[in-house]
Amino acid sequence: MTPAIALVIGYVLGILSVFLYGRARPLLKQIRENARASREEARIRRTSGLEDNHRRLTLRRAQGMHLAAPLFMLNDILQEPRLIAPPVQVEPGVTGIQEDIISQTLPYMPEWPELAAIYRAPTLGLVEAITGGGNVVIVGAAGAGKTVALAHLASQAANLHVQLEAGRDAVPFHYHIADLQFPFDSTKDPLTILFNAVSEFAPVFDLRKLPDFIRQSFEFGTALLLIDGFDEVDPQTQVDVIDWFKALTDAHPRVRIVTTGTVNQLNGLIGLGFHPLALMAWGENRISKFIQQWGTAWSQVLSETDESQPSTIDSAILNEWLRLDNTGLTP
């Protein structure tokens, strides 16, 4: 074979190889995508049962986080927690959102949510607030309903009603600071604190798989961390919690965190980028609705007890009496 013929054959083979590679490239890409999807499906199959158990346990705990938990579930008497909508950000050269007359005349005063309730200031739902991006601290005075707000959000997430990145269902991790082991050891994985807390409530047969499940939730951006009681602990413990939050967000920047605080006790949270949103107080309509729902739930409880019990006061009379002069009372 002469050099010229060998050169021509090599040239033709080169062109043919490039042509075949161009044709096969989409197929190779599809094969890689199918393999990735298969791995993801296998991972989901391995963790789906564990996730279902976790959601069920979270829902059961959240529904019991109110004073009358031995009598009825939280949803039976719940008034949906609302947050006072923060003022619209004004940027030069950008057309702002048209505000209503209340927003234009009523100043934003998170320390006085009762005033916002009287004038029916614009509000945000909890799910709406967290899906906007960023971490949130729910602000309110003692007894304003911060614990119930977190419990409601945990219930919503447990029931697959909260979505975070790319439409993924949020996986709730809902705990009080008292459930966590502080101080935080910065030399260890920040998820270690969560491993221990989740293990306290998980079934024994799930314990071995819990670390991988929690780690995957944080890595895939589906973890919704709900931490109650930040405003109830001493300043040193607050510093420990802040250090833990910082380590978590540094290691897992896609995590979404919601905690609680008071207007004058947000030590370190703002510096971490938390958005303070004040909890809306109850107006007369919500108080009346709560009293009615409580009366209905209470009557249901009484109807299930021994019928030989003496007759009780008419619920309509009792409800009207309870509606009198509730101004300024917290939930």
Side-chain angles (χ1 to χ4, degrees):
M1 180 182 297
T2 63
I5 295 176
L7 180 63
V8 171
I9 293 175
Y11 182 74
V12 171
L13 290 176
I15 294 177
L16 184 61
S17 299
V18 172
F19 174 77
L20 292 177
Y21 177 75
R23 289 283 186 173
R25 189 174 181 180
L27 179 60
L28 294 175
K29 182 179 179 181
Q30 185 64 40
I31 291 174
R32 288 195 298 269
E33 291 179 353
N34 290 341
R36 188 182 303 111
S38 298
R39 290 194 299 270
E40 180 69 13
E41 290 176 0
R43 183 191 66 81
I44 292 174
R45 284 195 299 270
R46 289 195 302 270
T47 61
S48 59
L50 177 59
E51 181 175 324
D52 289 343
N53 288 339
H54 175 73
R55 290 182 183 276
R56 184 170 58 254
L57 291 171
T58 300
L59 179 62
R60 185 169 63 188
R61 291 177 56 243
Q63 287 295 303
M65 290 187 175
H66 63 103
L67 294 178
L71 300 177
F72 28 75
M73 295 189 300
L74 177 62
N75 282 347
D76 292 338
I77 57 172
L78 179 72
Q79 303 302 303
E80 182 189 0
R82 305 288 297 180
L83 303 170
I84 303 175
V88 178
Q89 298 293 328
V90 178
E91 298 182 15
V94 178
T95 303
I97 300 175
Q98 185 66 34
E99 296 183 288
D100 59 17
I101 189 64
I102 299 297
S103 300
Q104 294 177 13
T105 56
L106 184 67
Y108 179 67
M109 296 188 296
E111 66 274 18
W112 289 102
E114 296 81 9
L115 190 61
I118 292 173
Y119 289 98
R120 300 182 182 180
T123 60
L124 295 172
L126 294 174
V127 176
E128 182 182 3
I130 67 168
T131 53
N135 300 321
V136 172
V137 50
I138 298 176
V139 176
K146 300 187 295 295
T147 294
V148 168
L150 282 188
H152 174 59
L153 187 54
S155 299
Q156 292 286 88
N159 284 325
L160 305 176
H161 295 157
V162 180
Q163 293 184 336
L164 299 179
E165 293 185 4
R168 293 174 178 266
D169 292 318
V171 179
F173 296 92
H174 178 211
Y175 299 98
H176 192 280
I177 286 181
D179 299 325
L180 307 177
Q181 298 176 0
F182 287 105
F184 162 63
D185 187 351
S186 59
T187 63
K188 296 182 178 180
D189 185 348
L191 291 178
T192 302
I193 288 182
L194 210 54
F195 294 160
N196 297 332
V198 177
S199 300
E200 290 291 328
F201 302 96
V204 175
F205 51 81
D206 285 345
L207 295 180
R208 186 172 56 85
K209 298 179 289 184
L210 273 178
D212 288 339
F213 163 68
I214 296 173
R215 191 172 288 108
Q216 288 173 356
S217 299
F218 277 77
E219 290 176 354
F220 282 92
T222 59
L224 176 60
L225 184 60
L226 308 172
I227 301 298
D228 192 14
F230 182 82
D231 54 318
E232 301 172 10
V233 296
D234 60 89
Q236 181 55 52
T237 304
Q238 289 182 342
V239 172
D240 294 335
V241 175
I242 291 297
D243 291 341
W244 181 53
F245 283 166
K246 186 177 187 307
L248 270 179
T249 53
D250 288 344
H252 306 281
R254 300 167 69 184
V255 64
R256 195 69 51 82
I257 304 175
V258 183
T259 188
T260 58
T262 59
V263 173
N264 299 319
Q265 201 175 34
L266 301 176
N267 305 338
L269 292 174
I270 304 301
L272 285 182
F274 278 75
H275 302 286
L277 295 175
L279 198 61
M280 173 66 89
W282 285 6
E284 292 184 4
N285 291 337
R286 302 193 75 186
I287 292 175
S288 297
K289 186 177 179 181
F290 171 73
I291 292 173
Q292 182 178 359
Q293 285 186 226
W294 181 283
T296 301
W298 178 251
S299 299
Q300 181 67 27
V301 171
L302 291 181
S303 66
E304 296 173 356
T305 59
D306 188 0
E307 296 182 356
S308 63
Q309 295 290 335
S311 59
T312 58
I313 301 174
D314 188 341
S315 60
I317 298 176
L318 184 60
N319 289 348
E320 287 300 323
W321 175 70
L322 290 173
R323 288 191 181 98
L324 297 176
D325 194 19
N326 290 312
T327 305
L329 298 182
T330 64

